[in-house]
Amino acid sequence: MARCLVTGGAGFIGSHLTQKLLADGHHVKVLDNLSTGRSDNLRDVAGHERLKIMQGSITDPVLLAEATQGTDVIYHLAAAVGVKLVAEDPVRTIETNIYPTDSLLRLAIQGGQRFYLASTSEVYGKNAKSDWCEEDDLQFGPTSRPRWAYGCSKAIDEFLALAYHQKYNLPIVIGRFFNVVGPRQVGNYGMVIPRFVEQALAGGPVTVYDDGSQVRCFAHVREVVDCVVSLTESDDARGRIFNIGSDQPISMRQLAEEVIKRVDPAVKIQHVPYQEVYGDNFEDVNRRVPDVTRLRETIGTSPSMPLGDLLDDIIAAKRSA
Ligand code: UDP
């Protein structure tokens, strides 16, 4: 039994992680400002005797110190997320993603906690390789394009975590999430699967940006949080970076067709230019596929749920919401 802090614990991934940790018998403190997270996400565990929810911001240093007190493990998931939100407010992205991570890492050096840092596939930028390995180059676009503020801010977090590991032997592990999806994810922040499902359930059209040839791999959140916990508990993972995601690619056009086939074959697809959604200065990532060899070699598994099962689960959850 461990005493865990989950920052961003009311968020989509954070709430699934909180549920898993409670189910595994741990004590969990959640720190969340309920901006993109929602208290409703924790509804299934509300009132749990081993759960404490602290509402507040990770940008408040006093609260951070209080939240870390008496804990053994820190899962740091709180961040400004969602390509749309990030493109609209790069200053907030940088403030939320960098300074609080540094403060938390410093607190962990004093408190001796194990530290899981949630990072993102956005750190690879638009690397043209077909599969991305943890040691690949990061290739961001110009600073005049705000999208890259997110990946850059998380890359700085990674540098900080690795530096504190090297300097103070802080037991950190970094996980780069690749398009995590599942029940409770909402479409408001631009994420494609909840958007497609919500649009299809409302009768359409399903909005495919550009020509729909962009490629992504989608991983079920329950498989992802299992990987997060296994990595954090593994001594072999210490001081290292891991891709966490599915390695089964699909284009956005095909994805739209798969959603429509399941919800209502009469729904139409509408192609929308990026400019209409994100304004000028937006750049998309054409292909994003992780190499998950390191993850498999270290914890013996990686997210593998077939896309069809994943979509069925999400559609069922949205229908019953
Ligand atoms: N996308 C789309 N229609 C939408 C929302 C997103 O075609 O309504 C595309 C988006 O341009 C990107 C892909 O779906 O190529 C995944 O977008 P998301 O924001 O979910 O994640 P990203 O991988 O871009 O972080």
Side-chain angles (χ1 to χ4, degrees), residues 157-269:
D157 282 353
E158 292 193 11
F159 279 125
L160 285 168
L162 291 168
Y164 287 129
H165 171 70
Q166 275 147 21
K167 204 165 169 188
Y168 301 105
N169 207 20
L170 183 68
I172 61 107
V173 58
I174 298 168
R176 292 178 176 165
F177 293 141
F178 280 70
N179 293 82
V180 182
V181 294
R184 300 205 286 263
Q185 190 178 36
V186 288
N188 315 16
Y189 310 115
M191 278 85 172
V192 67
I193 290 194
R195 281 178 58 81
F196 281 5
V197 171
E198 285 163 17
Q199 289 168 338
L201 287 173
V206 167
T207 58
V208 172
Y209 299 159
D210 201 50
D211 65 358
S213 63
Q214 317 89 295
V215 166
R216 297 290 188 274
C217 303
F218 297 95
H220 196 287
V221 65
R222 275 195 297 273
E223 292 187 309
V224 167
V225 299
D226 286 350
C227 294
V228 167
V229 173
S230 298
L231 284 173
T232 308
E233 290 175 352
S234 154
D235 290 336
D236 292 342
R238 282 188 186 195
R240 300 172 75 197
I241 303 169
F242 294 85
N243 289 336
I244 306 180
S246 148
D247 57 357
Q248 299 305 308
I250 185 166
S251 76
M252 293 309 99
R253 173 82 202 190
Q254 283 172 298
L255 176 69
E257 285 164 0
E258 287 297 324
V259 171
I260 288 170
K261 194 169 83 188
R262 284 176 166 73
V263 175
D264 174 5
V267 164
K268 298 271 179 294
I269 289 178

Side-chain angles (χ1 to χ4, degrees), residues 103-121:
S103 306
L104 261 184
L105 286 163
R106 284 167 186 265
L107 286 163
I109 292 165
Q110 284 162 6
Q113 290 94 342
R114 283 187 178 226
F115 197 104
Y116 174 85
L117 172 66
S119 187
T120 164
S121 52

Side-chain angles (χ1 to χ4, degrees), residues 68-79:
T68 54
Q69 240 166 36
T71 60
D72 314 300
V73 191
I74 298 172
Y75 292 94
H76 181 36
L77 275 71

Side-chain angles (χ1 to χ4, degrees), residues 50-68:
R50 281 181 277 108
L51 173 68
K52 179 179 176 190
I53 300 176
M54 297 172 70
Q55 187 180 345
S57 171
I58 51 164
T59 58
D60 176 345
V62 176
L63 199 59
L64 268 194
E66 192 189 324
T68 54

